[in-house]
Amino acid sequence: MYMIDANVFMNTVVAVILGTTALLLGATVLASWMGKRGRVMSYLYMFTALFGSFTVVVAAMGFRGKKSDSRPWHIVLDMKYQPKYLSQGQSKYFADGRSNRLPPDNTVPFDGTDYGADAGTHSVPNPDFLKADKRYYFGIANADAKGADGAPAKPKWDAGKLTGEGYYVNNLPPQAVERVGGWEALLKRGQVQFNRNCAVCHGTSGRGGGGDLAYGIVGAYGLSVPPANVLTPDVQAQPDGQLFNTVTNGKGSMSGYGHQVRDALDRWAIVAYVRELQFANGNAVADKK
């Protein structure tokens, strides 16, 4: 039974019913032309009207599996159409005109220990819920390390070597490697996530670009701002935490992918894979030891 296509099966049944309708209509017309009367004609009229109604429904609704660009029919309007605020929508009630509300200051994040759920309970706060580790979940090393213009402070360099952290963490957090089971697994995971979420703009090579020089699909369609080349020395000089922040929150004309690549581990995996692409491209590798 599972080997039968549901659309083909149901459309075959509908075709049989429509064929029966045609036979009944023909028989009714022929019997009426011949002057038949009585119980036989009553049954013919009844079944012809019944099957004819089914034909009208099929003509209006179409066969099973039929696709249409027209808007669907809503006989009974459901909650989809009730007045409500949508995410990122407008609101005249609030002074800033936004429906989305920021959490109150000093709000305590939910850590999963307040009540039992389908996921089970635990004796200590769940770091995946609380996100208290700024280094792992945000790529931030020193939240107060900012320059005079308020921009995140850059890492400290000495003779081509990183000697200290700025605003962002210099290196990928060790727990990212531990959680996935080693560098090989992390790089493979990063390749999958990069090709799924990043390659459409930056290309599988990471070179980005636009027009005839585009390595990504989107860049080939003439964007006003070509996707960045992530293999350049300037990008390579950025700390890992800054790349993680770019993937999460975006930069310039690039929107953030934190909502799409929700697991922080997947975003760190992308950072690791970008480093591998940079190394494969032959750029001079900065000494981060």
Side-chain angles (χ1 to χ4, degrees), residues 176-196:
V177 183
E178 296 169 0
R179 286 192 174 194
V180 80
W183 278 103
E184 183 177 355
L186 183 68
L187 291 172
K188 287 182 178 179
R189 186 165 181 161
Q191 181 180 23
V192 171
Q193 293 297 326
F194 183 91
N195 290 338
R196 181 181 298 167

Side-chain angles (χ1 to χ4, degrees), residues 179-231:
R179 286 192 174 194
V180 80
W183 278 103
E184 183 177 355
L186 183 68
L187 291 172
K188 287 182 178 179
R189 186 165 181 161
Q191 181 180 23
V192 171
Q193 293 297 326
F194 183 91
N195 290 338
R196 181 181 298 167
N197 299 287
C198 312
V200 65
C201 292
H202 298 283
T204 55
S205 66
R207 290 183 172 88
D212 296 336
L213 300 177
Y215 286 85
I217 298 175
V218 175
Y221 284 87
L223 293 182
S224 57
V225 180
N229 181 351
V230 301
L231 308 184

Side-chain angles (χ1 to χ4, degrees), residues 236-257:
Q236 188 175 16
Q238 296 178 9
D240 289 348
Q242 185 173 351
L243 294 181
F244 179 85
N245 179 73
T246 300
V247 174
T248 304
N249 301 310
K251 181 180 180 181
S253 60
M254 171 186 163
S255 59
Y257 277 75

Side-chain angles (χ1 to χ4, degrees), residues 3-25:
M3 301 301 294
I4 301 176
D5 188 290
N7 290 337
V8 174
F9 176 77
M10 292 304 301
N11 288 334
T12 301
V13 173
V14 171
V16 171
I17 296 176
L18 293 179
T20 305
T21 303
L23 292 176
L24 285 171
L25 181 61

Side-chain angles (χ1 to χ4, degrees), residues 121-146:
T121 58
H122 44 87
S123 58
V124 296
N126 188 332
D128 290 328
F129 290 163
L130 195 57
K131 292 183 170 56
D133 187 346
K134 299 292 185 182
R135 300 180 68 88
Y136 180 79
Y137 290 100
F138 300 96
I140 297 176
N142 305 299
D144 297 328
K146 294 185 178 181

